[in-house]
Amino acid sequence: MKNQESPLGVYHAQEMENRIYEWWMQEGFFRATGDAQKKPFTIVMPPPNVTGVLHLGHALDNTIQDLIIRMKRMQGYDALWIPGTDHAGIATQTRVEAQVSKEEGRSRHDLGRDAFVSRVWAWKERYAEVIRSQIRRLGASCDWSRERFTMDPGLSKAVREVFVTLYEKGLIYRGNYIINWCPRCTTALSDIEVEYEETVGALYHISYPFVDGSGTLTIATTRPETLFGDVAVAVHPEDERYRHVIGKRLRLPFGEREIPVIADDYVDPQFGTGAVKITPAHDPNDFEVGQRHQLAAINIMTKEGKLNEHAGKFAGLDRFEAREKIVAELVSAGVLTRTEHHHAVGHCERCGTVVEPWLSTQWFVKMEPLAVPAQEVVALGKTQFIPDRFSKIYSHWLSNIRDWCISRQLWWGHRIPAFYCADCGGTTVSREDPMVCVHCGSSRLTQDEDVLDTWFSSALWPFSTMGWPEDEAGDLARYFPTQVLSTGFDIIYFWVARMIFMSLFFTSQPPFEYVLIHGLVRDDQGRKFSKSLGNGIDPMDVIEKYSADALRFMLVTGAALGQDMRFYMERVEAAQALVTKIWNASRFVLMNLDNELIYGLPAPEERTLADRYILHRLQETTSQATRELEAFQFAEAGKTIYEFFWNDFCDWYIELSKVHLYGTDARQKEPTQKTLTYVLDHALRLLHPFMPFVTEQIWQSLPRDGKTIMLAPWPNFTEEFEDPAAADGMALVMDVIRSVRTLRHEKNIALSKKVEVILRPKAKWQAVLQQAAPYINRLCNPSLLVIDPDAAFPEERVTSVLADVEIALSLAGLVDLSAEKTRLSEEKKHLEFEVKRLQTKLANENFIAKAPVAIVEKEREKLHDYEQQLEKVAAEWARLFSVANDREAE
RNA sequence: GCGGCGGUAGCUCAGAGGGAGAGCACCACCUUGACACGGUGGGGGUCAUAGGUUCGAUUCCUAUCCGCCGCACCA
């Protein structure tokens, strides 16, 4: 009967995980119910870009969200997790352009706008499906019936509504300003889409001759090719060196154009020569200087980054090629020298091309009116960053923010709803495509060719996914605002801040209560994963080799929130070991159940000491893990549950349970079976958000109440289980067992070899130890177990002294006196040290006076225990000496 | 220049005002009726450095060193 087959069989992660996910989907467990009895709890998933596949960072992010949403669902919330994908304008367009070019050797212009865009849609369909299957493979319990894409009709409607509203309120405007331009992508970029990289470049000193022949003025520049756009040279008004040349005129090289010397305190006299060429069309600072002095702006570059007709004979050359040629000519003319110069050069975030500050007409969002409330809401704690330090980063950015350039010269994205009139030149911005110009009534309208920055639509994600603006009574009313957002710190500016100000503006509510910021997943050497390093790890490969459960557990316990983590396969293996351990422990439980077992707990009076202990620990673990999870301390919570399951449940309780399961007293069998089942059930529930698959699989085989562990109630605080007496008692029993084992090990006595064990406890522990005798018998294998405060120890023995019990093994003929003396004297030395330490501490009047009473009391108890132990160890040590002397005397 | 993070056992990381923990690795023993992805026992840390606060600091404060990151400027 004991050896019946476990219904669990062999663990096959791949087959099992796929099958379970399918079943969850079929049963609709992921769908938010809308149950009015339940409180809603909502998370919107940061939509992955449809550019390609998911990486470990996505896996971490989604695991965190799934963990939270699964716990909340079990806690009885109407939990909603909205999945989706982002169209990722530049990134996706670039990928598809590359694909078209590679496969057909054609550019997007060869295809034409409509044909190209339909190619991108095809790409989107394909990769959205890849991403969907990857998220599923991870076990994400998101509500697929509410999946969204940033370019869905509803979300596009939201984009248009937002654009038009902001335009009407004067918060969106079009203008000719310096923006960041990527000549490769041929589009404008926002400030944060530019990545600055420290580079070794050159500082060129060029001498411009005065028109009146009175010598030259030497300027310093890093970009000599822009000299064709120079409209002035500026010096500091207070700079004595140049005061006399202000107002004079200079002649530019390569041409006859003359420019004035002006004074502006923007100039730093310490830098370079103290004289700066002013090129308003190609430098943001120069642009401002130009405006202050009413200077013209000469744009000398094409959108591809080539010099245009203003550059004379250099027209048509690429900007870097032109720079070389210009420098060469100026050097031979003797008017240019160069020095090495370190400076940060902006690169396109998507393609790495050096970004060009470029004057062009673009659409902007006026930021200040939006940024102020967005800062407030975080400052007031209505939205909280976890860890809190990220709120500083957020607030710092918002307080220094410049207007947001939102137009992109791309084809993939939301087309800007602005229409220009061919007759009056007026602009019409409207919710529906206009038939006629609002200014003059002409029907000769053409829509702006450009699309909006992807982040413009992502910024609306928390409410656009819920039906805003069309359906405000449905999901939006119930599930917005959301409770939690989980994302990486790299996206705080791009996305989090923008969602917050857009939500505040359009819904008057912050979009989330908590923003969880996690760190980066790095490789085993601490480097970022990157294509160029070739160190990428596909989460699907990890799942394939181990399991989604293991990957999830590893990621979520790998580091504290906000801290970067290194990805080590060894740690996935460790997580997999836990999965296996859970599986095997469950097999044990199941193969020891009787078919007619009724689900439930044994009555309190039927519970064994071990039962009481494990229920107490279950209770502790439940409280602690719940507290930690609710504080978003996932790694801590994972550890708490891990330790309970492995150490308390497997190493101790299961071993102890064997006494009752296989023992002679049949009455104890059923209570133990019930406790095993109960504790396993609840431990699985605690583990489920971490490891959804294996816990579901096991739970299905368990006597249970419910259809799926996904919807089983989250374990609650159960006062009835609180049992400090059982906890203390078992702690002592465990100490005793451990000590006996240690003595056996030190004396090389295998557990299979029986040996007499004598325990001399303090009287108050007599009953507990007596009760625990069957456990000690099973785990220590004594030939005879004596438990008696007055027991006499045999002459030939080894001993161990605990605070509350003395332990002796009877070892006739086996005691190595000198080894034993060494061991005891080490022990004695250690105890003496501790006693001394505590005596000194307690002799300190300041300590007694100022430390909390409880601490002082604790230290006194410690001292007392140590003193007693020392006394006994010293006595034993002395006894050995006399035995040794006797032997020598013989 | 401004700001942030990290420096704890060989490795990766937790932790916390009252003489430091885990996983992996290591050593010894064990095929004990769930599990060798296991069991039992063990070794290993002046908690980066120097000051300060405190009865007490590895934990709080200051400075320094080392590693990393963000922002700003860069003609």
Side-chain angles (χ1 to χ4, degrees):
Chain A
M1 178 64 235
K2 307 283 188 299
N3 293 323
Q4 91 186 50
E5 261 312 295
S6 165
L8 278 183
V10 184
Y11 167 82
H12 290 298
Q14 301 311 319
E15 179 276 327
M16 184 191 91
E17 295 188 340
N18 282 312
R19 183 172 40 72
I20 290 173
Y21 197 90
E22 277 302 307
W23 179 68
W24 285 335
M25 291 264 281
Q26 278 165 24
E27 296 288 334
F29 294 146
F30 301 158
R31 229 170 290 144
T33 57
D35 183 347
Q37 304 298 105
K38 295 180 169 185
K39 230 177 123 183
F41 188 99
T42 318
I43 299 178
V44 289
M45 178 188 294
N49 292 344
V50 284
T51 43
V53 297
L54 301 190
H55 53 247
L56 285 169
H58 290 112
L60 169 63
D61 196 39
N62 282 307
T63 301
I64 288 173
Q65 293 168 66
D66 195 41
L67 185 54
I68 297 169
I69 211 80
R70 281 182 186 271
M71 174 174 72
K72 290 295 165 185
R73 198 182 285 118
M74 291 172 79
Q75 284 181 327
Y77 288 86
D78 174 19
L80 169 60
W81 183 17
I82 300 179
T85 42
D86 191 300
H87 68 280
I90 301 183
T92 310
Q93 173 161 326
T94 306
R95 299 290 291 273
V96 178
E97 277 183 294
Q99 187 197 36
V100 170
S101 157
K102 194 177 158 207
E103 286 173 6
E104 306 168 26
R106 298 208 283 172
S107 74
R108 70 178 151 112
H109 299 284
D110 296 335
L111 284 182
R113 186 160 186 157
D114 289 346
F116 179 78
V117 168
S118 67
R119 291 288 291 266
V120 188
W121 275 104
W123 170 287
K124 178 261 164 187
E125 294 303 336
R126 184 172 148 212
Y127 280 97
E129 187 49 39
V130 171
I131 289 165
R132 230 173 263 134
S133 73
Q134 291 182 319
I135 293 174
R136 288 175 183 165
R137 194 60 196 82
L138 249 188
S141 63
C142 44
D143 187 344
W144 293 106
S145 71
R146 288 177 165 89
E147 183 188 350
R148 296 289 183 270
F149 175 59
T150 45
M151 281 169 68
D152 284 347
L155 282 77
S156 299
K157 192 129 196 170
V159 165
R160 187 142 181 179
E161 176 66 29
V162 166
F163 186 96
V164 175
T165 306
L166 290 176
Y167 179 80
E168 286 168 352
K169 302 210 168 169
L171 291 175
I172 280 185
Y173 62 92
R174 190 176 190 230
N176 201 231
Y177 293 95
I178 286 271
I179 44 86
N180 304 292
W181 182 264
C182 175
R184 201 222 57 88
C185 302
T186 59
T187 179
L189 303 172
S190 70
D191 292 343
I192 51 177
E193 285 167 303
V194 179
E195 285 178 343
Y196 289 90
E197 223 174 279
E198 204 62 38
T199 17
V200 186
L203 192 60
Y204 303 91
H205 294 252
I206 310 173
S207 301
Y208 290 179
F210 285 107
V211 171
D212 63 10
S214 60
T216 62
L217 181 59
T218 303
I219 57 92
T221 181
T222 51
R223 299 164 68 217
E225 68 279 10
T226 63
L227 68 84
F228 296 107
D230 288 359
V231 294
V233 167
V235 297
H236 194 94
E238 312 291 318
D239 193 334
E240 289 305 327
R241 293 172 296 176
Y242 298 122
R243 203 181 274 254
H244 64 286
V245 301
I246 294 168
K248 289 177 102 176
R249 296 184 74 75
L250 294 159
R251 179 167 291 121
L252 281 173
F254 305 116
E256 296 308 302
R257 205 152 59 78
E258 293 176 11
I259 55 171
V261 178
I262 59 170
D264 194 291
D265 52 18
Y266 147 72
V267 180
D268 173 7
Q270 309 301 320
F271 189 92
T273 60
V276 192
K277 68 194 214 43
I278 299 299
T279 321
H282 296 281
D283 182 282
N285 291 310
D286 291 6
F287 181 77
E288 285 173 22
V289 174
Q291 298 225 307
R292 277 199 289 277
H293 297 265
Q294 278 95 45
L295 300 168
I298 305 171
N299 192 332
I300 60 142
M301 227 176 264
T302 68
K303 62 188 167 106
E304 290 85 13
K306 292 179 177 163
L307 298 201
N308 67 15
E309 70 279 6
H310 293 293
K313 63 177 173 180
F314 300 99
L317 290 181
D318 175 78
R319 52 195 168 142
F320 297 115
E321 201 184 342
R323 180 184 297 174
E324 274 176 43
K325 296 217 158 120
I326 290 166
V327 167
E329 289 207 19
L330 293 177
V331 167
S332 48
V335 296
L336 183 145
T337 56
R338 54 174 290 170
T339 54
E340 199 177 284
H341 179 58
H342 295 255
H343 60 147
V345 176
H347 294 77
C348 172
E349 184 220 8
R350 286 296 166 191
C351 75
T353 302
V354 173
V355 162
E356 201 64 38
W358 201 56
L359 186 64
S360 62
T361 303
Q362 305 287 346
W363 287 91
F364 296 87
V365 173
K366 201 169 172 183
M367 283 308 306
E368 209 208 326
L370 295 168
V372 170
Q375 268 181 289
E376 252 171 36
V377 85
V378 169
L380 295 174
K382 288 180 186 167
T383 292
Q384 251 175 285
F385 280 84
I386 315 271
D388 180 58
R389 66 185 133 93
F390 290 104
S391 59
K392 276 186 227 160
I393 296 177
Y394 165 89
S395 147
H396 180 257
W397 184 67
L398 279 177
S399 46
N400 295 302
I401 196 166
R402 298 198 296 176
D403 285 355
W404 173 18
C405 174
I406 50 169
S407 43
R408 296 290 180 276
Q409 287 63 48
L410 303 172
W411 289 349
W412 177 238
H414 301 95
R415 187 106 173 239
I416 293 175
F419 298 79
Y420 308 115
C421 178
D423 291 319
C424 74
T427 302
T428 303
V429 169
S430 68
R431 287 171 179 81
E432 301 300 330
D433 286 0
M435 302 307 289
V436 294
C437 171
V438 288
H439 306 285
C440 71
S442 162
S443 60
R444 294 175 62 210
L445 293 175
T446 43
Q447 185 169 6
D448 193 311
E449 290 294 317
D450 295 345
V451 300
L452 288 163
D453 181 3
T454 305
W455 297 103
F456 191 87
S457 54
S458 315
L460 318 181
W461 188 249
F463 51 96
S464 65
T465 49
M466 293 190 199
W468 187 92
E470 302 257 275
D471 178 20
E472 306 218 14
D475 279 358
L476 194 74
R478 178 162 177 80
Y479 297 108
F480 187 87
T482 74
Q483 274 60 56
V484 167
L485 178 83
S486 164
T487 192
F489 60 81
D490 50 331
I491 217 171
I492 293 175
Y493 306 143
F494 281 104
W495 195 43
V496 180
R498 286 166 176 170
M499 282 191 285
I500 293 177
F501 65 66
M502 286 296 196
S503 283
L504 287 172
F505 193 87
F506 287 97
T507 74
S508 307
Q509 286 177 295
F512 359 83
E513 280 177 41
Y514 296 99
V515 178
L516 311 189
I517 303 292
H518 58 249
L520 241 53
V521 184
R522 297 168 174 278
D523 76 359
D524 55 5
Q525 293 169 55
R527 304 173 304 182
K528 282 187 189 179
F529 288 114
S530 75
K531 277 197 199 96
S532 52
L533 280 173
N535 59 349
I537 292 175
D538 183 345
M540 296 303 119
D541 290 346
V542 181
I543 289 175
E544 192 67 33
K545 186 160 178 212
Y546 299 96
S547 63
D549 286 333
L551 175 63
R552 289 167 61 109
F553 195 81
M554 183 270 151
L555 287 172
V556 100
T557 57
L561 204 61
Q563 224 56 53
D564 286 359
M565 120 180 37
R566 293 190 193 199
F567 191 86
Y568 267 81
M569 268 319 168
E570 289 89 329
R571 304 195 43 206
V572 182
E573 282 165 20
Q576 184 60 47
L578 175 62
V579 175
T580 312
K581 189 75 178 175
I582 294 167
W583 184 260
N584 284 318
S586 304
R587 286 183 58 216
F588 170 83
V589 172
L590 285 164
M591 68 176 61
N592 283 291
L593 296 186
D594 296 324
N595 294 330
E596 65 278 16
L597 181 80
I598 298 152
Y599 180 80
L601 271 174
E605 66 277 9
E606 288 179 326
R607 292 175 200 167
T608 63
L609 178 62
D611 290 342
R612 291 166 55 205
Y613 144 79
I614 199 67
L615 289 171
H616 176 85
R617 285 288 299 128
L618 174 67
Q619 156 56 26
E620 267 183 350
T621 304
T622 298
S623 304
Q624 193 183 335
T626 305
R627 201 180 330 115
E628 287 162 342
L629 285 172
E630 285 176 343
F632 308 113
Q633 295 167 349
F634 310 115
E636 285 301 294
K639 241 169 268 184
T640 299
I641 302 168
Y642 179 108
E643 278 165 18
F644 169 73
F645 196 89
W646 203 304
N647 303 336
D648 291 292
F649 187 62
C650 293
D651 290 348
W652 285 103
Y653 185 71
I654 284 186
E655 291 311 318
L656 299 176
S657 77
K658 291 174 183 171
V659 167
H660 306 300
L661 293 173
Y662 308 146
T664 46
D665 188 349
R667 284 169 308 167
Q668 289 182 339
K669 192 172 167 187
E670 191 183 295
T672 296
Q673 288 172 320
K674 283 181 167 173
T675 307
L676 274 169
T677 308
Y678 184 92
V679 174
L680 177 60
D681 174 7
H682 287 77
L684 290 174
R685 295 187 203 196
L686 295 176
L687 281 160
H688 180 256
F690 294 88
M691 302 182 158
F693 293 114
V694 75
T695 50
E696 177 74 281
Q697 178 69 28
I698 295 165
W699 205 75
Q700 291 299 325
S701 304
L702 232 47
R704 66 192 179 280
D705 179 16
K707 196 168 183 185
T708 170
I709 192 171
M710 275 189 65
L711 301 174
W714 185 255
N716 267 331
F717 175 80
T718 311
E719 196 178 357
E720 184 208 339
F721 295 163
E722 292 244 69
D723 195 339
D728 292 349
M730 272 306 299
L732 180 81
V733 172
M734 288 170 171
D735 261 355
V736 167
I737 291 169
R738 239 177 261 131
S739 296
V740 173
R741 283 165 164 175
T742 306
L743 285 174
R744 277 176 163 280
H745 195 260
E746 278 169 358
K747 299 300 146 198
N748 247 316
I749 303 160
L751 194 62
S752 51
K753 197 175 166 195
K754 285 186 181 287
V755 63
E756 197 178 320
V757 174
I758 302 96
L759 304 180
R760 211 154 60 191
K762 284 186 180 166
K764 63 172 175 173
W765 293 112
Q766 169 71 19
V768 169
L769 286 172
Q770 205 60 58
Q771 193 186 347
Y775 304 142
I776 301 171
N777 280 326
R778 183 169 178 94
L779 298 173
C780 295
N781 198 24
S783 54
L784 174 70
L785 177 64
V786 177
I787 303 168
D788 182 352
D790 304 315
F793 282 177
E795 280 299 310
E796 293 192 71
R797 69 198 189 217
V798 289
T799 58
S800 179
V801 178
L802 303 179
D804 287 332
V805 54
E806 286 175 273
I807 299 160
L809 304 193
S810 172
L811 291 178
L814 287 172
V815 181
D816 174 344
L817 276 182
S818 80
E820 199 55 14
K821 266 158 57 183
T822 313
R823 190 177 70 87
L824 283 172
S825 99
E826 293 282 311
E827 180 67 15
K828 189 164 145 274
K829 237 169 33 190
H830 170 245
L831 289 168
E832 280 164 352
F833 173 82
E834 292 293 332
V835 166
K836 186 89 187 285
R837 206 194 90 232
L838 289 165
Q839 280 173 341
T840 312
K841 193 168 195 175
L842 287 161
N844 183 341
E845 283 174 28
N846 275 324
F847 175 68
I848 304 294
K850 296 189 179 173
V853 193
I855 295 289
V856 176
E857 199 42 50
K858 214 172 109 192
E859 298 294 294
R860 283 209 174 104
E861 271 173 39
K862 269 201 266 183
L863 174 61
H864 180 71
D865 286 350
Y866 281 130
E867 280 172 341
Q868 288 195 334
Q869 284 182 66
L870 177 57
E871 196 182 310
K872 286 165 187 163
V873 169
E876 185 67 10
W877 180 77
R879 189 190 72 93
L880 278 181
F881 258 93
S882 67
V883 172
N885 288 339
D886 289 354
R887 287 206 182 160
E888 267 169 42
E890 277 168 14

